[in-house]
Amino acid sequence: MNRILLTCIGTLATVSMAGTAFAAPRVAPPNTLFTATGPATLSNPPISLSCVLKLEGKTGNPLATPPLPAGAPGGDIIRGTNTGPGLCSAVTIDPATFTVLTVSGSGTGTGVVNGLIVRLGGSAICTATAPTPFTFTNGTPSTINFSGLIPGTTCSVVTALTPTPNLTVYP
């Protein structure tokens, strides 16, 4: 009887560790177009703008061996636009990619945008020299937060964007 019990415990431990080995931070649902919108402060001294930022994107393909629920390791930003007073409508964001890096059990995570370029009237004014960090908080609605300098530039963005449809990150 003890031998059978020990065999069962060993099997469960092996299956549990194998499942953990394949788990990766991910965003769900995969293969989904989304729009993330919210008030944003965009600055490149001496200019500072209070706008409404809208990022259009698509989550990527699901991981090959996904834990449930299925999710993608990241995705694409298709474009970014702004509305609001002054120069807001002249500020755009080029296509880029994003990756989810970490996720806690409580549903907060971190990620990066790779290749971030911000344009003013068509001219690049902020070209990131390294991945640009963001944080993510699950909820109804979830939020995507940027809160600092774009690496290698004097530009910064502070915003809490709400994705539609709602996106969720999983460990």
Side-chain angles (χ1 to χ4, degrees):
M1 183 70 161
N2 284 341
R3 180 181 283 172
I4 292 172
L5 182 60
L6 288 175
T7 301
C8 289
I9 291 171
T11 302
L12 287 173
T14 301
V15 169
S16 174
M17 289 190 325
T20 303
F22 292 112
R26 61 204 187 281
V27 59
N31 290 321
T32 300
L33 290 170
F34 67 88
T35 301
T37 307
T41 300
L42 310 165
S43 65
N44 187 3
I47 298 170
S48 183
L49 303 171
S50 293
C51 304
V52 175
L53 173 60
K54 177 171 114 176
L55 291 179
E56 297 173 59
K58 183 176 190 249
T59 58
N61 295 324
L63 295 167
T65 53
L68 294 176
D76 297 307
I77 294 173
I78 299 167
R79 76 183 125 272
T81 58
N82 286 276
T83 56
L87 296 172
C88 286
S89 63
V91 179
T92 59
I93 297 172
D94 285 5
T97 61
F98 68 93
T99 305
V100 177
L101 299 176
T102 65
V103 180
S104 73
S106 64
T108 59
T110 64
V112 293
V113 173
N114 295 294
L116 183 63
I117 298 174
V118 178
R119 295 184 182 273
L120 178 61
S123 297
I125 58 167
C126 307
T127 300
T129 59
T132 303
F134 67 87
T135 60
F136 194 100
T137 305
N138 288 343
T140 309
S142 294
T143 58
I144 303 166
N145 305 287
F146 290 89
S147 62
L149 285 174
I150 296 171
T153 74
T154 57
C155 300
S156 66
V157 59
V158 177
T159 187
L161 304 174
T162 301
T164 303
N166 201 44
L167 302 177
T168 305
V169 293
Y170 295 98

